[in-house]
Amino acid sequence: AVVSTQSTGNSDMFSNSLSACYSLLLFWCVSAEPLRFKDGKFKIAQFTDLHYGEDEFTPWGPIQDKNSDHVMHSVLNSEKPDFVLFTGDTLTGNNIDSNATAYWKYVLSPCLQHNTPWAHVFGNHDDLSQKNGDRETLLRYDQTFNLSYSIAGPGDLFGVTNYFLPIYGEHSDEAEAVIYALDSGGGKIEEQITPGQLKWFLEVYHVNLQVYGPVPSILTFHIPPQEFEELFNTGECTGYLNNTIMPLPSRGLYKTILSLPNIHLVTTGHYHENDYCCPVKNKLLCQGRHSGYGGYSTIARGSRIIQLEKDRLQTWIRMENRDVLDHLVLKYQ
């Protein structure tokens, strides 16, 4: 299980040798079993807005949790991913009067049964339970599982789930891709991505560029910025945007994403009836398919699949009924 935090300190402290040392320390601190490509591919299933624990004292609530179980089992059986990203609102914490960690373990059961590792980013409903429901407690509990790769980021940053995960070659100790995560807040803290988070993200991105080289990377956080809707309205996107994207205090986030050539895909959650994917500047800016039966939604449930490869990435929606929608291929340049 992941037990470390990640911090860069001052950006000017990183010479090439210190960067290499930092990389080696990260390799051993993050996990005893590094994430690796298999047969030239690394496949991720994104589960977003599961909303376990919603209306826990009504007949409807537990039934929806069982239905969400079925979604995850169906996707894991169909896709057999190498990794799962839980991208926020895993719980409806404000409806949970009992121990929130008990629901957290319930959520993880499909991954545990399929022996599939995972990592979390927090949403705006996860931390609202009054019993063991704050971000720090939930993350510490998540890290007690050997399959967890979730990381508590630097303590001086806003939020908790600010981190990155290198993905190594199948038979080498060279990183071939990176997953970056940011905490977009909400719940007991403000909904935002702060300038401090963006500064940290840029620092670790450029350090990793020195250490790993220009490897393909993806970025995930829960709440998308409003610019994603403006991009969708250009008419070049796949999928749905049925819910209006509200402003997120995140000055510079969209500009930062566009400025980083090795960030080839961004995926978010939060809006349950959106699952768009939009091309811009050799990137795909996407939202995951609503995976849970908790929370509002009139669309069928599923999961965004992201497959990283040597010279391209692919993404598609795998539905609960096993149908495949909106298959896209992006070649790296």
Side-chain angles (χ1 to χ4, degrees):
V2 173
V3 295
S4 68
T5 61
Q6 297 176 17
S7 178
T8 62
N10 297 322
S11 59
D12 59 1
M13 70 179 288
F14 288 107
S15 66
N16 288 339
S17 60
L18 283 175
S19 297
C21 179
Y22 162 79
S23 176
L24 290 170
L25 286 171
L26 176 66
F27 178 92
W28 292 111
C29 289
V30 167
S31 176
E33 297 292 335
L35 300 173
R36 293 192 182 276
F37 279 75
K38 297 176 184 176
D39 299 322
K41 302 173 183 177
F42 188 83
K43 184 188 287 189
I44 300 165
Q46 178 190 2
F47 294 132
T48 194
D49 296 273
L50 291 161
H51 282 281
Y52 275 69
E54 187 152 327
D55 288 348
E56 67 174 349
F57 293 116
T58 70
W60 179 87
I63 290 172
Q64 303 318 304
D65 291 345
K66 290 181 180 179
N67 290 337
S68 300
D69 279 355
H70 186 267
V71 175
M72 288 194 282
H73 280 296
S74 176
V75 170
L76 294 172
N77 281 324
S78 297
E79 294 289 349
K80 297 177 174 58
D82 302 299
F83 196 68
V84 164
L85 276 176
F86 292 100
T87 57
D89 284 3
T90 299
L91 305 181
T92 302
N94 42 301
N95 285 182
I96 296 174
D97 290 331
S98 56
N99 194 328
T101 56
Y103 275 100
W104 202 262
K105 185 176 182 179
Y106 187 9
V107 170
L108 300 176
S109 294
C111 286
L112 292 168
Q113 291 176 42
H114 289 265
N115 199 37
T116 305
W118 69 80
H120 284 268
V121 295
F122 285 124
N124 55 300
H125 284 277
D126 291 307
D127 68 351
L128 291 172
S129 174
Q130 297 303 309
K131 186 174 182 182
N132 291 331
D134 60 89
R135 273 168 153 78
E136 291 79 7
T137 299
L138 289 172
L139 192 69
R140 283 196 300 269
Y141 180 72
D142 189 80
Q143 292 175 333
T144 66
F145 294 90
N146 289 334
L147 291 172
S148 172
Y149 283 72
S150 305
I151 296 176
D156 58 347
L157 287 184
F158 173 83
V160 173
T161 48
N162 302 291
Y163 60 88
F164 65 92
L165 296 169
I167 308 166
Y168 292 87
E170 184 169 7
H171 303 295
S172 78
D173 292 334
E174 297 293 327
E176 295 185 359
V178 181
I179 300 169
Y180 293 93
L182 292 171
D183 192 329
S184 57
K188 292 179 180 176
I189 60 177
E190 187 176 348
E191 294 181 4
Q192 63 177 346
I193 292 178
T194 67
Q197 287 172 281
L198 290 180
K199 180 176 182 290
W200 172 85
F201 174 44
L202 284 168
E203 286 179 353
V204 297
Y205 174 89
H206 287 294
V207 169
N208 288 341
L209 190 62
Q210 295 178 48
V211 175
Y212 305 138
V215 298
S217 302
I218 69 172
L219 169 65
T220 189
F221 46 90
H222 182 63
I223 305 175
Q226 198 168 38
E227 289 92 340
F228 281 24
E229 181 167 344
E230 296 169 8
L231 183 60
F232 182 87
N233 291 334
T234 65
E236 297 182 0
C237 307
T238 62
Y240 296 102
L241 197 153
N242 296 318
N243 301 145
T244 298
I245 298 177
M246 304 303 292
L248 172 71
S250 57
R251 187 174 62 186
L253 173 61
Y254 186 67
K255 182 178 179 181
T256 297
I257 290 169
L258 295 187
S259 73
L260 302 177
N262 298 311
I263 300 294
H264 289 294
L265 181 141
V266 179
T267 192
T268 66
H270 190 57
Y271 295 99
H272 297 182
E273 295 180 322
N274 296 348
D275 73 347
Y276 55 83
C277 211
C278 299
V280 60
K281 291 194 172 184
N282 202 41
K283 307 175 190 301
L284 294 172
L285 307 186
C286 309
Q287 166 149 339
R289 183 80 174 201
H290 187 197
S291 306
Y293 277 82
Y296 70 90
S297 192
T298 59
I299 66 173
R301 277 35 172 202
S303 167
R304 176 166 296 285
I305 306 299
I306 303 159
Q307 183 166 283
L308 298 164
E309 302 173 20
K310 182 177 180 180
D311 59 354
R312 66 179 187 175
L313 67 77
Q314 302 186 62
T315 185
W316 60 91
I317 301 295
R318 172 66 72 173
M319 301 299 293
E320 180 183 9
N321 68 3
R322 303 199 174 192
D323 287 349
V324 173
L325 305 177
D326 301 332
H327 190 170
L328 294 173
V329 178
L330 178 75
K331 291 186 177 181
Y332 312 137
Q333 293 180 355

